[in-house]
């Protein structure tokens, strides 16, 4: 088990190192000189050269890479070429906003998918199960931004129950924070929930056919008790895989949904960075997103071992 | 001797196809009864109907009564059946490799069997589980093991311990040794017999292996085509079979044959629902005549008898 932990940690660290090289390389080969962008097209070559030296862009690429990486490891994300502001605190603030959104969306997805998927599997021959399947099929087909717009139209514009957009930090006004969180989190979570429901359904269906569930019934457990005590943990293994992939999708989905709901998250920071040609900012935000996705995969790997004892003895 | 299990006119159907028809079966207290027949003869379905665990879309009719349970088991609701299962009737299945929950420790799975029916308080369940393991000759540290750490034979012993946890009045074993290595079959059979004898439980033992029936059971029922075709004490049925199917079955498993060819019953078991009218065996029987198009009546009493127009051991007129 410890061997597996070391192995997974190794895989995580190596992927992180490789992806940092890739992110840096992509930004380095992109056309467009940050110094030229910062000074504008009319700036003299000398002024541009001076600024390049000031940013450290005249040094060889490996030096620049290790300088950037060293900074990251110390939590220093550098200074924006465009706004001349430190990037670290900005990314940190925005990350918190996005995390709230992603976590709330994930919770909504789980709250929808686990009961609905289980019910669909348990009643897969009955009308109620088929009806749920049809509803989830519709949910799968709706993209998050469209769901967001629909939610705004119905709950904010027509009914006026919730604000259409905006963001308030939870420390400032918890009530307002929750009100503004609900719609974007629903837009993210419902769509992911519909997708996840189908995976939960098939995982539970597989488990229902297992012999050990019949053994549980033969012991004297009723069908739902047997499924609850003996089925769900076994069904969780394939579902966790999908959940890991979905968290990555959710991060990407958040970029779009933040735009729709005018939320100052990591997504809007990234889009602003791109339109302002703030290369270092974009590089940092992409790296943070990559780190988040890799971290999720790492946790999923550990969850497997926690869920399935058969993986603990395998090397 | 009072009867533990009384089955009357049991039928099992899927859609409109009859898989088991008109089975009568009685198991006395502490009695060990074998149910033999080829695959597809309806043995397992008969057992699953008793337990009320038939697959979806498969339905049982007729009557199943268990001593000490004051209601009919066929058609009983889930709430009542779940109280009977695991407490009054327990079952050991054929495939030990998949019968246990892979994510739960053996000790917890054993303790659960007693906690469901509240036959042991939580504080005593652990010790009781250890004792159950000892009685199937497994070390106590098996409690902490997960199923994948055990061999097939060890797992089947755990399944047996699980089934016997609440001292059921009836234990049903469905081909419990078929999936095991020959070397551990004898041990598991011995543990089953000892387990039911220690608890004075009755045993309904399903198998296609005649040698196993001879060592384990006192009485035997022969099934073919979803019907009981012959029944009687093991010694009588095996030495003087009356039904032509039993006769063929015994000849097929006779290894002392002087000819070098294996004796077989001609033809195959027809698929479900395609059995002939009248005597279900007549399409494969060398002795069949026009008379066999009518269902043969049962001769003898329920404990010992057969259903054949041209029984063996009688000179045909």
């Amino acid at each position: 088990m410890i061997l597996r932990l070391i192995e997974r940690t190794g895989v995580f660290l190596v992927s992180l190192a490789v992806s940092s090289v890739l992110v840096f390389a992509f930004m380095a080969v992109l056309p467009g000189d940050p110094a030229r962008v910062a000074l504008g097209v009319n700036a003299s070559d000398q002024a541009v050269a001076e600024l390049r030296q000031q940013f450290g862009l005249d040094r060889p690429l490996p030096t620049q890479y290790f300088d950037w990486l060293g900074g990251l490891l110390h939590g220093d994300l550098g200074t924006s070429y465009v706004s001349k502001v430190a990037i670290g605190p900005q990314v940190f603030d925005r990350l918190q906003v996005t995390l709230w959104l992603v976590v709330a969306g994930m919770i909504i997805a789980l709250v929808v998918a686990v009961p609905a998927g289980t019910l669909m599997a348990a009643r897969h021959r009955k009308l109620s199960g088929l009806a749920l399947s049809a509803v989830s099929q519709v949910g799968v087909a709706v993209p998050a931004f469209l769901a967001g717009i629909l939610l705004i139209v119905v709950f904010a514009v027509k009914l006026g129950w919730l604000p259409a957009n905006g963001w308030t930090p939870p420390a400032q006004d918890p009530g307002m924070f929750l009100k503004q969180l609900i719609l974007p989190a629903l837009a993210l979570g419902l769509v992911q929930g519909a997708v996840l429901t189908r995976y939960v359904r098939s995982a539970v269906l597989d488990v229902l056919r297992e012999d050990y569930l019949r053994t549980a019934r033969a012991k004297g457990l009723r069908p739902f008790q047997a499924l609850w005590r003996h089925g769900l943990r076994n069904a969780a293994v394939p579902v966790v895989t999908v959940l890991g992939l979905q968290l990555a999708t959710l991060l990407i989905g958040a970029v779009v949904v933040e735009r729709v709901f005018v939320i100052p998250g990591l997504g809007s920071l990234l889009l602003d960075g791109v339109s302002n040609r703030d290369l270092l900012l974009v590089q940092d935000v992409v790296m943070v997103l990559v780190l988040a996705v890799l971290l999720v995969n790492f946790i999923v790997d550990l969850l497997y071992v926690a869920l399935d004892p058969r993986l603990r003895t395998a090397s | 001797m009072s009867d533990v299990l009384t089955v009357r006119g049991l039928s099992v159907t899927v859609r409109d196809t009859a898989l088991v028809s008109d089975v009568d079966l009685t198991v006395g207290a502490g009695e060990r009864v074998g149910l033999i027949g080829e695959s597809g003869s309806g043995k397992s379905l008969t057992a699953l109907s008793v337990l009320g665990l038939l697959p979806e879309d498969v339905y049982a009719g007729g009557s199943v009564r268990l001593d000490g349970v004051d209601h009919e088991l066929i058609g009983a609701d889930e709430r009542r059946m779940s109280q009977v299962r695991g407490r009054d009737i327990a079952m050991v299945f054929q495939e030990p490799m998949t019968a246990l929950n892979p994510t739960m420790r053996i000790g917890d799975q054993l303790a659960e069997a007693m906690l469901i029916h509240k036959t042991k308080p939580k504080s005593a369940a652990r010790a009781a589980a250890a004792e159950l393991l000892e009685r199937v000759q497994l070390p106590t540290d098996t409690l902490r093991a997960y199923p994948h750490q055990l061999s097939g034979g060890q797992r089947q012993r755990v399944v047996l311990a699980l089934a016997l946890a609440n001292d059921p009045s009836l234990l049903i074993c469905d081909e419990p040794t078929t999936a095991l290595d020959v070397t551990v079959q004898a041990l598991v059979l011995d543990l089953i017999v000892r387990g039911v004898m220690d608890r004075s439980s009755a045993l309904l033992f399903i198998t296609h292996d005649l040698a196993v029936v001879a060592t384990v059971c006192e009485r035997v029922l022969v099934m073919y085509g979803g019907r009981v075709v012959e029944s009687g004490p093991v010694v009588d049925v095996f030495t003087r079979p009356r039904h032509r199917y039993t006769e063929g079955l015994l000849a097929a498993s006779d290894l002392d044959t002087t000819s070098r060819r294996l004796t077989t019953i001609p033809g195959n078991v027809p698929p479900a629902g395609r059995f002939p009218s009248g005597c279900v065996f007549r399409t494969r029987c060398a002795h069949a005549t026009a008379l066999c198009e009518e269902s043969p009546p049962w001769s003898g009493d329920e404990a010992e008898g057969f259903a054949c127009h041209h029984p063996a051991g009688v000179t045909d007129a």
Side-chain angles (χ1 to χ4, degrees), chain B residues 39-261:
Chain B
S39 340
S41 60
K43 307 170 304 236
S44 297
L45 287 172
T46 303
L48 288 173
S49 332
V50 171
L51 213 56
L53 284 181
L54 286 170
E56 270 182 274
D57 294 336
V58 182
Y59 298 97
S63 161
V64 173
R65 299 297 300 238
L66 195 74
D67 188 40
V69 177
D70 58 2
H71 60 84
E72 172 63 46
L73 298 193
I74 298 280
D77 59 33
E78 201 44 56
R79 189 180 57 81
R80 291 166 119 184
M81 273 317 282
S82 61
Q83 283 164 12
V84 174
R85 284 186 211 120
R87 193 190 64 191
D88 303 305
I89 313 176
M91 186 150 174
V92 174
F93 298 97
Q94 179 173 348
E95 189 43 73
M97 299 308 277
T98 51
L100 295 166
N101 182 349
T103 58
M104 207 179 198
R105 290 184 199 277
I106 300 295
D108 294 332
Q109 301 197 41
L110 281 171
E112 187 189 32
M114 293 170 276
L115 295 174
I116 293 169
H117 298 289
K118 301 191 172 67
T119 48
K120 290 277 189 306
K122 207 162 189 174
S123 51
R126 195 91 190 155
E131 199 208 317
L132 282 169
L133 284 178
E134 252 167 64
R135 287 170 83 167
V136 294
Q137 296 174 20
L138 285 172
T140 317
D141 58 11
T142 311
L143 283 176
R144 290 193 51 75
Y146 284 100
H148 72 272
Q149 294 164 319
L150 306 179
S151 71
Q154 289 169 325
R155 289 188 212 187
Q156 196 63 308
R157 278 141 77 188
V158 171
V159 174
L160 177 65
L162 206 62
L164 293 172
N166 297 319
D167 302 338
S169 51
L170 175 68
L171 176 70
I172 302 176
C173 293
D174 187 0
E175 308 245 9
T177 55
T178 308
L180 300 180
D181 285 343
V182 185
T183 45
V184 293
Q185 281 187 5
L187 171 66
V188 171
L189 288 176
D190 184 49
L191 289 169
I192 290 173
V193 172
R194 231 189 292 169
V196 292
M197 285 179 82
D198 286 352
R199 295 165 171 88
S200 342
S201 306
L203 175 68
L204 182 61
F205 194 98
I206 298 168
T207 182
H208 61 263
D209 189 334
L210 301 184
V212 168
V213 172
T215 54
V216 171
C217 302
E218 301 155 318
R219 201 155 58 79
V220 64
L221 287 94
V222 184
M223 279 189 85
Y224 182 81
R227 290 161 200 275
V228 176
V229 293
E230 180 160 9
S231 73
V234 171
V235 184
D236 295 352
V237 172
F238 282 15
T239 52
R240 291 189 305 279
R242 306 301 304 274
H243 198 280
R244 295 295 179 179
Y245 173 64
T246 319
E247 190 186 45
L249 206 58
L250 286 165
S253 54
D254 187 4
L255 296 175
D256 298 333
T257 176
T258 42
S259 74
R260 312 196 79 187
R261 282 175 57 99

Side-chain angles (χ1 to χ4, degrees), chain A residues 97-117:
Chain A
V97 174
T98 300
L99 280 183
W100 275 115
L101 207 55
V102 169
V103 168
M106 202 74 241
I107 290 171
I108 289 172
L110 278 171
V111 166
V112 169
V114 173

Side-chain angles (χ1 to χ4, degrees), chain A:
Chain A
M1 183 172 178
I2 291 173
L3 211 68
R4 196 182 162 87
L5 190 68
I6 294 169
E7 181 200 319
R8 295 327 299 177
T9 313
V11 168
F12 169 65
L13 292 176
V14 170
S15 334
L16 203 56
V18 170
S19 42
S20 73
V21 172
L22 286 178
V23 169
F24 180 83
F26 264 118
M27 292 303 159
V29 298
L30 275 185
D33 180 355
R36 172 74 66 191
V37 171
L39 293 174
V41 273
N42 294 326
S44 69
D45 285 350
Q46 199 200 344
V48 170
E50 270 173 23
L51 195 63
R52 283 178 64 86
Q53 198 184 6
Q54 196 187 323
F55 286 162
L57 293 170
D58 53 343
R59 297 170 300 163
L61 283 177
T63 317
Q64 288 187 45
Y65 167 72
F66 283 110
D67 190 40
W68 174 62
L69 193 68
L72 287 186
L73 292 178
H74 290 98
D76 173 16
L77 274 60
T79 308
S80 164
Y81 300 147
V82 179
S83 61
K84 312 283 193 298
V85 177
I87 297 173
Q90 237 177 323
V91 168
F92 183 71
D93 281 352
R94 299 296 192 99
L95 185 62
Q96 282 181 317
V97 174
T98 300
L99 280 183
W100 275 115
L101 207 55
V102 169
V103 168
M106 202 74 241
I107 290 171
I108 289 172
L110 278 171
V111 166
V112 169
V114 173
T118 308
L119 212 65
M120 270 158 69
R123 298 182 185 273
H124 70 285
R125 295 284 186 84
K126 303 205 175 90
L127 197 65
S128 55
L130 287 174
L132 271 173
S133 285
V135 171
S136 85
Q137 191 73 62
V138 173
V140 170
V142 178
F145 78 88
L146 187 60
I149 292 170
L150 287 173
L151 286 170
I152 290 176
V153 168
V154 175
F155 292 101
V157 179
K158 295 256 191 240
L159 297 171
W161 291 352
L162 294 161
N165 55 39
W167 181 262
T168 312
Q172 192 181 316
D173 181 355
M176 198 59 197
F177 162 73
L178 278 179
K179 274 187 193 165
Q180 287 177 332
L181 182 65
I182 290 174
L183 287 186
L186 276 177
L188 271 178
L190 286 182
V191 174
Q192 293 297 323
V195 177
L196 193 61
T197 302
R198 306 194 72 77
Y199 286 99
V200 172
R201 174 181 181 271
S202 81
V204 173
L205 263 184
D206 283 346
V207 162
L208 280 174
R209 295 192 192 101
E210 291 284 352
D211 280 354
Y212 55 78
L213 227 65
R214 186 177 60 180
T215 307
R217 298 279 310 280
K219 274 176 169 182
L221 288 173
R222 292 191 217 164
F224 262 103
Q225 286 178 315
L227 182 60
W228 178 257
R229 291 198 209 174
H230 294 273
L232 287 190
R233 182 161 166 190
N234 286 293
V237 176
V239 170
V240 162
T241 314
V242 179
L243 210 62
L245 293 173
Q246 278 202 308
L247 264 169
T249 322
L250 221 53
L251 271 172
I252 311 304
V255 172
V256 181
V257 167
E258 279 167 14
R259 213 50 170 187
V260 173
F261 286 92
V262 200
I263 292 170
L266 213 51
S268 16
L269 186 65
L270 180 67
L271 293 183
D272 290 347
V274 170
S275 52
N276 295 338
R277 303 210 172 200
D278 197 343
L279 279 190
L280 187 58
L281 177 72
V282 172
Q283 190 173 316
D284 282 341
V285 172
V286 170
M287 198 57 223
V288 167
L289 289 175
V290 167
L291 171 71
V293 171
L294 288 176
L295 204 61
V296 165
N297 281 331
F298 177 61
I299 293 169
V300 164
D301 270 339
L302 297 187
L303 268 180
Y304 281 150
V305 182
L307 283 170
D308 193 341
R310 282 170 294 189
L311 296 174
R312 286 174 213 169
T313 37
S315 61

